[in-house]
Amino acid sequence: MNVLKLFCIVGLFAALFAGSANAAGLSSATSWLTSNQAQDGSWGSSHLLTAYPAIALYSAQGNSQPVTSALSWMETDLENSNAWFYGSDFGEADIPGLAIYSFAETGRGSGLSNAPALLLEMQQPDGGCKGYYDSVEQQAVASSVDTDFALLG
């Protein structure tokens, strides 16, 4: 999924909450999203690219099959402490943070047992959350993106 498609998804999300989407446009956008969802439930095999459409579709359709499928796809990794984004060297708090947020926004937040605690473990002593791997410092460093997405989760 390219960046332009992601902006379309975010635009649909914004239009839903701004109340500016007409019925035909909303129907067309939700149809596009569901027709571009992978069979495994993801969009682009990415947690970041799957969380937004799950929230947007939930806002438009409620707890539909595409939403359930997306959340199920993300849940497997979120509950696994060995998932790459929880890793000690290459952890990325933005990914589980946004994915956990999508569970909360779709009413399924209480279904996650391990993910919130795993996300909290990514907080660094300075208060920031583990972000990208800095090859100069040779460690994962905190970033504003990772910290704000973690706070959403």
Side-chain angles (χ1 to χ4, degrees):
M1 179 174 296
N2 66 31
V3 173
L4 181 58
K5 290 178 186 174
L6 177 60
F7 286 138
C8 290
I9 292 167
V10 173
L12 170 62
F13 180 67
L16 285 168
F17 287 100
S20 64
N22 65 38
L26 182 58
S27 176
S28 175
T30 56
S31 292
W32 184 90
L33 281 174
T34 56
S35 68
N36 282 279
Q37 185 176 25
Q39 284 190 322
D40 65 6
S42 72
W43 279 269
S45 295
S46 162
H47 293 80
L48 290 176
L49 296 180
T50 299
Y52 284 120
I55 296 168
L57 286 173
Y58 180 80
S59 299
Q61 303 175 334
N63 199 16
S64 63
Q65 187 278 327
V67 172
T68 301
S69 180
L71 295 174
S72 294
W73 180 80
M74 289 189 292
E75 183 174 15
T76 301
D77 285 339
L78 285 175
E79 294 289 285
N80 178 1
S81 63
N82 293 319
W84 72 268
F85 45 77
Y86 292 130
S88 59
D89 291 335
F90 298 101
E92 294 272 348
D94 57 340
I95 295 168
L98 181 59
I100 291 169
Y101 176 72
S102 71
F103 276 76
E105 286 297 303
T106 58
R108 289 194 37 193
S110 63
L112 297 172
S113 57
N114 296 327
L118 292 168
L119 182 58
L120 283 174
E121 290 176 11
M122 299 181 84
Q123 189 169 25
Q124 304 297 292
D126 66 1
C129 290
K130 191 185 301 183
Y132 65 95
Y133 184 82
D134 186 314
S135 59
V136 174
E137 293 187 32
Q138 296 189 352
Q139 65 181 3
V141 296
S143 77
S144 60
V145 171
D146 291 276
T147 302
D148 23 330
F149 277 54
L151 285 171
L152 283 174

